[in-house]
Amino acid sequence: RGDIIAGAPRFDGANGARLNSGAVVVLFNSELQNPFIGFGIDTNDLMGSSISVGDVTGDSLADVIVGAPGAFS
């Protein structure tokens, strides 16, 4: 079974504290137990709007790139 990656760009953070901060959830081996969850930092980050998987570093392992178009660098 494979891993599943899902974006939730309009997730509002814990208790709705950060509107549209977004989140990304990774389910390893398609299991619901012990998922990895990454959260957007600020309001309107929209983390998880886009997700791409590929070997970016050339090490033959899959890398994950997550878009957050509302985030400021």
Side-chain angles (χ1 to χ4, degrees):
R1 299 186 322 192
D3 299 334
I4 297 173
I5 303 170
R10 300 233 181 249
F11 179 74
D12 291 336
N15 300 316
R18 294 183 312 266
L19 290 176
N20 299 323
S21 59
V24 172
V25 179
V26 180
L27 303 175
F28 298 101
N29 296 318
S30 303
E31 297 283 334
L32 295 177
Q33 299 171 356
N34 302 316
F36 168 82
I37 304 174
F39 299 101
I41 296 172
D42 294 317
T43 297
N44 294 320
D45 277 352
L46 299 172
M47 182 175 167
S49 291
S50 60
I51 299 172
S52 183
V53 178
D55 184 9
V56 177
T57 58
D59 60 2
S60 299
L61 298 173
D63 301 302
V64 177
I65 300 170
V66 177
F72 298 104
S73 55

